[in-house]
Amino acid sequence: MIKKVIDSNLISRKEIEELVSIDHPLFSFKYLQKQSIENCTDADFFRNFIFRLKKLSELGWNEIRKSDRHSFGMEKIPYYKIRPKSQLPEFITPDAEFCAFRATGSNLPFLGIQSGKIFYIVFIEISFGDIYEH
């Protein structure tokens, strides 16, 4: 697969080697569910959330795994605790385990699924208990 990508000239071998060696998380909003944020009008929340993502990216996965869950670490949230199941993307099955990070210093979480270095953000909890049972 890597050879095929290199041969296509879409990405160089050096770029692939850099991607393989990175430790920082790559955040994706591809599967973000709108019901988790559509009623939020708190611009400060989103500003603080962006700074949280920046800090997590600077720490890297190794440091995140060492950190406390109420700091910059994460915790596992089983599928059965998620409330809006009917709106989950199809690839998320009952055996999936979400990871929760704190979105801001107020301990409101954002949840998603990690696949390699990519963390797919699925929910951002604006009010405690909107997304999962705490």
Side-chain angles (χ1 to χ4, degrees), residues 4 6 9 15 19-20 22 33 35 47-48 55 61 66-68 88-89 102 106 116 120 128 134:
K4 185 176 178 181
I6 292 171
N9 291 321
E15 289 171 312
L19 284 174
V20 171
I22 62 172
Q33 303 298 291
Q35 80 275 8
R47 180 182 170 278
N48 292 332
K55 179 65 175 175
W61 287 115
K66 294 176 193 175
S67 187
D68 180 69
L88 289 174
R102 301 302 164 218
S106 69
Y120 293 98
F128 281 107
H134 291 264

Side-chain angles (χ1 to χ4, degrees), residues 8-77:
S8 71
N9 291 321
L10 295 176
I11 189 169
S12 70
R13 178 173 298 282
K14 181 179 181 209
E15 289 171 312
I16 290 175
E17 288 169 357
E18 288 172 0
L19 284 174
V20 171
S21 68
I22 62 172
D23 177 51
H24 64 270
L26 304 173
F27 293 103
S28 171
F29 291 89
K30 180 178 181 177
Y31 301 109
L32 179 64
Q33 303 298 291
K34 72 176 184 173
Q35 80 275 8
S36 66
I37 60 168
E38 65 188 346
N39 295 323
C40 182
T41 58
D42 184 357
D44 283 339
F45 175 86
F46 289 108
R47 180 182 170 278
N48 292 332
F49 176 60
I50 295 299
F51 281 116
R52 178 61 59 124
L53 292 179
K54 181 181 183 317
K55 179 65 175 175
L56 289 168
S57 295
E58 291 168 355
L59 287 174
W61 287 115
N62 287 333
E63 290 301 315
I64 288 169
R65 293 197 197 314
K66 294 176 193 175
S67 187
D68 180 69
R69 68 187 174 102
H70 284 111
S71 182
F72 290 98
M74 62 181 166
E75 66 178 307
K76 301 288 185 183
I77 306 295

Side-chain angles (χ1 to χ4, degrees), residues 64-128:
I64 288 169
R65 293 197 197 314
K66 294 176 193 175
S67 187
D68 180 69
R69 68 187 174 102
H70 284 111
S71 182
F72 290 98
M74 62 181 166
E75 66 178 307
K76 301 288 185 183
I77 306 295
Y79 177 90
Y80 73 87
K81 286 192 173 187
I82 304 298
R83 291 210 167 108
K85 288 183 184 64
S86 63
Q87 299 167 357
L88 289 174
E90 288 183 20
F91 78 91
I92 299 176
T93 58
D95 61 337
E97 196 168 55
F98 286 84
C99 294
F101 286 94
R102 301 302 164 218
T104 66
S106 69
N107 282 337
L108 285 168
F110 67 95
L111 290 84
I113 303 287
Q114 183 181 352
S115 177
K117 296 172 190 320
I118 300 172
F119 188 83
Y120 293 98
I121 298 171
V122 180
F123 297 108
I124 303 171
E125 195 169 73
I126 302 304
S127 298
F128 281 107

